[in-house]
Amino acid sequence: MTVCGLRYPVSRILELMASGMSNDEILADYPDLEADDLAAALEFGALAAGRRRVLPFDAA
């Protein structure tokens, strides 16, 4: 699975996040990505881990 319209694997984005890189650092290293792409990668990861739906933090 890749980020929509790009060739970056979602798994790579999740690995970068898990390694401790901040969103700003990732966006600086991958200028084709946008903040929404990072949020979508996290949502995909949560859904792939077995969650049936994902709620934003402020919706809880």
Side-chain angles (χ1 to χ4, degrees):
M1 185 66 62
T2 59
V3 174
C4 186
L6 302 172
R7 292 183 177 231
Y8 300 122
V10 171
S11 60
R12 178 65 181 144
I13 303 305
L14 294 173
E15 287 171 3
L16 295 172
M17 293 175 161
S19 76
M21 287 183 75
S22 70
N23 285 2
D24 289 336
E25 291 171 325
I26 295 169
L27 295 173
D29 285 352
Y30 297 86
D32 293 340
L33 290 175
E34 298 178 359
D36 287 346
D37 297 325
L38 302 183
L42 280 176
E43 181 176 4
F44 177 84
L47 292 171
R51 299 286 303 191
R52 294 190 179 182
R53 69 180 187 161
V54 178
L55 298 174
F57 286 122
D58 59 354

